[in-house]
Amino acid sequence: MGRSRSCDLVVDDMLISRRHARFFVSKAALFVEDLGSANGVLVNEVQTSGAVALKDGDRVIVGTHELFVQVVTNIADRDTAPPLAPTPPQPPRPAPSPSASAGAVPAQHAAPRTALTEQDIPVVLPAPTLEIAAAQEPGSFDDNLEETQRTEKMDGLATMARLADRMISMGRADAAVRLLGDHLRDLLDKVQRGRTVPPAALETAGVYAMKLSDISKDGAWATLGIELFTQVRKPLPAKAVQLLETLGHCENFDRQKLAFYKAALREARGLSPGEVTLAERILKLPVR
């Protein structure tokens, strides 16, 4: 699967590498394997490494595309094939609830997978590189623009934010939380260690921290966003302030952190007129 015309599944998406991933099967399972792509492969919103066995209902994210795994029975063999075992009902996974301590955010909630025996895993020859494939089919790639364009390497937070918006629109709040959790934590950790973070990444983190609190009703995400902007002594972006103003009651929202943030804004210097306006709106928020 990739942008290359040599792939079996050709996808026109510049976030997908020319040879991005491959699917293969054994008698036991269907597998997906990342082929060293620029933006990786996610299974159920979790980054993968190496070949991963898939099961019915799994979701594979490649670039901005999401594929669903579904087990089907061949119609011709329906009378002789053994019935598929029904999938037992699974209790809903609770939304992660990060603690109110500085920098604490939820961990991934990836479902453990059953270990496969050696005979279950198929023997698969290494995938040929693009150069080898081109050598096997001389001239077949030169005329394809997809082969000469470089894959867009987006930062992880921006990519996950785009995917999270899709999940939110589908009513899958838990998936959006899993997509963004680690990226928000990493950004807060960088800022706390004094590292410089691009303004666009800060803005994205501020907005989506509030979005996650809004959709999950877990105020710890809003607390994380407030901690992040307390460190840089800047007001949250306008969209984040609007969400914070209308957030209402959420569990785990640390209003003491909000009080610290307001104190930091009162002492902030060098704010632009627009930032001053946003700071004034934040200062009006109740701390109790």
Side-chain angles (χ1 to χ4, degrees), residues 228-247:
L228 180 62
F229 278 78
T230 300
Q231 292 288 327
V232 298
R233 294 180 179 272
K234 292 280 189 180
L236 288 155
K239 290 182 180 179
V241 174
Q242 182 178 3
L243 286 169
L244 185 59
E245 289 172 332
T246 59
L247 194 58

Side-chain angles (χ1 to χ4, degrees), residues 52-248:
V52 175
L54 302 172
K55 61 181 185 297
D56 189 34
D58 278 349
R59 302 178 304 276
V60 181
I61 297 177
V62 182
T64 59
H65 292 69
E66 185 175 39
L67 296 85
F68 294 86
V69 179
Q70 183 179 12
V71 174
V72 297
T73 303
N74 190 314
I75 295 177
D77 300 331
R78 180 175 295 172
D79 295 333
T80 58
L84 293 175
T87 302
Q90 299 293 325
R93 288 182 291 187
S97 299
S99 68
S101 60
V105 297
Q108 294 279 15
H109 286 258
R113 296 181 178 274
T114 304
L116 299 174
T117 64
E118 185 174 350
Q119 65 180 0
D120 291 330
I121 302 177
V123 177
V124 182
L125 296 176
T129 63
L130 184 62
E131 288 75 14
I132 294 176
Q136 293 171 344
E137 301 179 54
S140 61
F141 297 104
D142 295 338
D143 297 331
N144 292 325
L145 182 60
E146 291 88 348
E147 298 304 329
T148 58
Q149 290 178 311
R150 294 181 62 86
T151 305
E152 292 181 12
K153 182 67 173 78
M154 294 188 66
D155 70 90
L157 179 60
T159 303
M160 293 303 105
R162 289 174 60 178
L163 292 170
D165 275 333
R166 178 179 297 180
M167 303 305 169
I168 292 170
S169 68
M170 297 169 63
R172 292 164 53 189
D174 59 336
V177 167
R178 290 195 300 273
L179 282 169
L180 289 171
D182 277 353
H183 295 280
L184 293 177
R185 177 190 62 186
D186 291 344
L187 193 62
L188 178 60
D189 180 64
K190 287 179 181 179
V191 171
Q192 289 175 332
R193 290 188 286 114
R195 295 182 59 181
T196 301
V197 175
L202 281 173
E203 180 172 353
T204 299
V207 171
Y208 281 86
M210 301 305 154
K211 275 191 177 185
L212 292 187
S213 276
D214 184 46
I215 63 173
S216 67
K217 303 307 176 187
D218 187 346
W221 295 108
T223 301
L224 185 150
I226 286 171
E227 287 185 274
L228 180 62
F229 278 78
T230 300
Q231 292 288 327
V232 298
R233 294 180 179 272
K234 292 280 189 180
L236 288 155
K239 290 182 180 179
V241 174
Q242 182 178 3
L243 286 169
L244 185 59
E245 289 172 332
T246 59
L247 194 58

